[in-house]
Amino acid sequence: VFHVDGLASTKIVRESGNPRGKQQNESKNQQNKQIAILSKALGVLYQQGGTLGVMERSEGMENYSGASLVSAAVTASHGNKGAASGIVNALLGSCCQSRANGAEKALELMHAYDALDDSILQPNLVALCLAYTAVATTHPNKAKLFLKRAENVFATNKEKENFSKGSKVDWLKLETVHGIRLLQETDDFVVISKPSGMVCYHTLDTTQQKTASKRRRSGPAADDTSLEACLLQNGVSLSTLNKEGRGMVHRIDRGTSGCMVLAKTNRMHAILISEFFCRNVNKSYQALVCTRGNNLSSKGTIKLDVEGRPAMSSYEIETTLQQRNFCRIRVHTKQGRRHQVRIHCAQGLNSPILLDPLYNGQVAMKHLLNNEHLKESLPRLRAAQRFCLHADTLCLPNQNINVQAPLPGWWLNLEGYLNDMASN
């Protein structure tokens, strides 16, 4: 070993003594300086704006090699694999945005990504989906390979027993029995309105999984069928690329109702993941908030980090209730962080969403329970794990999706009771 090290050192000294060796060293030094400058820039952009910040300021990336960009991303992350993946994925995302030579740059980035040692970083599902989308038009065969890799590594192996296959979907039954309303459907995707109180899919953290052993001891419990299971059981085909929930390219909380798009095919799953990552999606939410005497402006912007990451929302008042003690507001999110609307209402506006159990949404319960109707309905809504947040609209222009989901009947009844309280 020592002899090998000595030979390597001697070789370096000899090379530096001739012009060719000097040129190689100078080129290497120049490349290292370039990576250092790039890593500093990418680090600042990611810290200030997350993946969106990198994508919005990625002009000029075509002037750098894929290897330099990936190396700079790893350096900028300071050992944080999540940050490194986020930066590389943002660079891949910019290749999907109709950028000149975007497909070629995406191939470069993926080649450099794959060249990294697995212990340092390896492509995740988002990276493979973005690569697929970036090259699908110009390099369809290479796109198929990216999709195949995604299927081999990330496709679900969850067993689904007794699920209907190939049968005609009875959407009327799904709406009347389960509260799932069809908004739009093609061979590749389905857009539905999810009822409040229904979880998108079950994990070890959801009610069904936590209480499985209790059910065996104490007998049957209330039905807690997930959206995923309900759709599959009723013959809706769903993609397999999400190990946690088939067809799921995004999710909304159990207590939230409204618009969701689910992929039927793995090809569309990859495209939709890319659309959401690149923010080619417009969403709005309706939230019934407890103003508690706050004099909310008719519209405004909320800038408040969520879990240490930049997040911005805008809102406008739709209607006021019970002498402005409650307002229904429309909220647009820019980033779509987990619980962003709930946190921005409760902490950014100091006006929590009514019935929200995590962010002070039950502070108004004591006062409202004086009402004869609400005294019965509010505890039922709380027991059903519902709160007043609704994914109102969903628009993906590239996929010709532009839908709106009506507010649930129980919500409209609740607003009626609030108005009655104000008039009495």
Side-chain angles (χ1 to χ4, degrees):
V1 174
F2 291 115
H3 286 298
V4 172
D5 286 343
L7 287 171
S9 298
T10 304
K11 186 177 180 182
I12 290 171
V13 170
R14 285 175 181 171
E15 284 184 351
S16 63
N18 64 63
R20 187 177 177 183
K22 259 186 177 177
Q23 288 176 357
Q24 290 176 341
N25 285 339
E26 287 175 1
S27 176
K28 186 67 174 176
N29 290 337
Q30 188 64 30
Q31 185 181 17
N32 289 338
K33 287 180 182 178
Q34 185 183 78
I35 291 173
I37 294 170
L38 272 174
S39 67
K40 185 175 181 180
L42 291 173
V44 170
L45 291 174
Y46 185 76
Q47 186 177 17
Q48 292 179 349
T51 56
L52 182 60
V54 176
M55 280 193 294
E56 288 180 337
R57 300 290 298 275
S58 62
E59 66 276 2
M61 64 173 281
E62 59 273 6
N63 298 323
Y64 302 94
S65 69
S68 293
L69 289 165
V70 171
S71 295
V74 172
T75 303
S77 69
H78 301 291
N80 184 328
K81 290 185 178 181
S85 292
I87 295 172
V88 177
N89 289 349
L91 295 171
L92 284 167
S94 70
C95 297
C96 299
Q97 304 286 63
S98 301
R99 185 182 296 277
N101 300 320
E104 304 305 324
K105 184 56 66 175
L107 291 173
E108 267 190 57
L109 287 167
M110 287 303 296
H111 180 73
Y113 212 157
D114 289 331
L116 293 174
D117 189 281
D118 285 352
S119 63
I120 299 174
L121 200 65
Q122 52 186 313
N124 56 19
L125 176 60
V126 175
L128 292 169
C129 290
L130 289 166
Y132 170 84
T133 304
V135 307
T137 302
T138 55
H139 302 282
N141 290 334
K142 291 181 179 178
K144 288 178 184 177
L145 292 176
F146 287 130
L147 185 59
K148 189 65 177 176
R149 283 177 61 183
E151 290 172 336
N152 290 339
V153 178
F154 298 103
T156 181
N157 57 5
K158 288 198 294 185
E159 293 183 3
K160 305 292 180 185
E161 298 180 359
N162 301 322
F163 283 7
S164 303
K165 291 184 179 180
S167 58
K168 183 175 175 59
V169 179
D170 188 346
W171 286 106
L172 180 60
K173 174 189 172 184
L174 278 166
E175 181 171 358
T176 55
V177 177
H178 303 286
I180 301 170
R181 176 179 293 195
L182 176 66
L183 300 176
Q184 184 178 346
E185 185 177 21
T186 70
D187 291 339
D188 291 315
F189 62 78
V190 60
V191 189
I192 55 94
S193 179
K194 182 188 82 69
S196 178
M198 176 180 278
V199 71
C200 288
Y201 51 83
H202 282 298
T203 67
L204 291 176
D205 293 327
T206 60
T207 304
Q208 186 183 62
Q209 298 299 328
K210 283 180 179 178
T211 59
S213 60
K214 291 183 181 178
R215 287 181 178 181
R216 288 193 291 270
R217 293 195 302 268
S218 59
D223 178 61
D224 192 24
T225 305
S226 69
L227 174 66
E228 173 201 25
C230 195
L231 292 175
L232 288 170
Q233 287 169 355
N234 285 275
V236 181
S237 298
L238 295 175
S239 62
T240 61
L241 276 188
N242 187 337
K243 285 186 176 181
E244 293 189 316
R246 290 181 57 177
M248 303 287 167
V249 295
H250 69 126
R251 60 180 290 275
I252 54 178
D253 296 324
R254 178 195 286 270
T256 305
S257 57
C259 299
M260 284 187 64
V261 58
L262 296 94
K264 288 184 173 183
T265 64
N266 288 343
R267 179 183 83 65
M268 181 52 64
H269 194 117
I271 292 171
L272 289 174
I273 281 185
S274 302
E275 294 278 50
F276 275 88
F277 185 88
C278 294
R279 280 38 171 214
N280 296 328
V281 181
N282 293 315
K283 296 183 290 183
S284 71
Y285 297 83
Q286 299 260 20
L288 184 57
V289 298
C290 318
T291 57
R292 298 181 291 187
N294 294 333
N295 187 21
L296 284 185
S297 300
S298 60
K299 59 182 178 179
T301 301
I302 309 159
K303 292 183 179 180
L304 180 67
D305 286 4
V306 175
E307 296 181 345
R309 302 168 70 190
M312 185 170 74
S313 304
S314 61
Y315 77 92
E316 54 195 40
I317 293 179
E318 293 279 299
T319 186
T320 59
L321 302 159
Q322 207 198 38
Q323 299 174 342
R324 294 186 68 88
N325 285 321
F326 295 88
C327 289
R328 173 153 45 87
I329 62 175
R330 183 182 298 275
V331 183
H332 301 265
T333 57
K334 188 173 184 181
Q335 286 81 11
R337 307 288 185 212
R338 183 171 180 265
H339 294 180
Q340 180 171 331
V341 177
R342 299 166 70 180
I343 292 170
H344 277 187
C345 287
Q347 300 175 13
L349 297 178
N350 195 27
S351 300
I353 294 170
L354 181 60
L355 294 173
D356 187 341
L358 290 182
Y359 302 102
N360 298 322
Q362 303 195 48
V363 293
M365 287 282 288
K366 185 176 180 180
H367 169 62
L368 293 178
L369 289 175
N370 294 328
N371 178 274
E372 182 180 350
H373 295 289
L374 296 178
K375 187 176 183 178
E376 294 183 2
S377 62
L378 284 179
R380 285 201 303 268
L381 293 174
R382 182 168 56 179
Q385 302 186 65
R386 293 175 171 175
F387 48 82
C388 295
L389 180 60
H390 179 72
D392 183 47
T393 64
L394 178 65
C395 179
L396 288 86
N398 295 337
Q399 307 307 320
N400 295 317
I401 296 173
N402 189 6
V403 296
Q404 182 170 20
L407 286 170
W410 64 264
W411 182 323
L412 296 174
N413 291 337
L414 179 58
E415 288 191 359
Y417 295 143
L418 292 174
N419 277 328
D420 290 344
M421 289 177 67
S423 60
N424 292 336

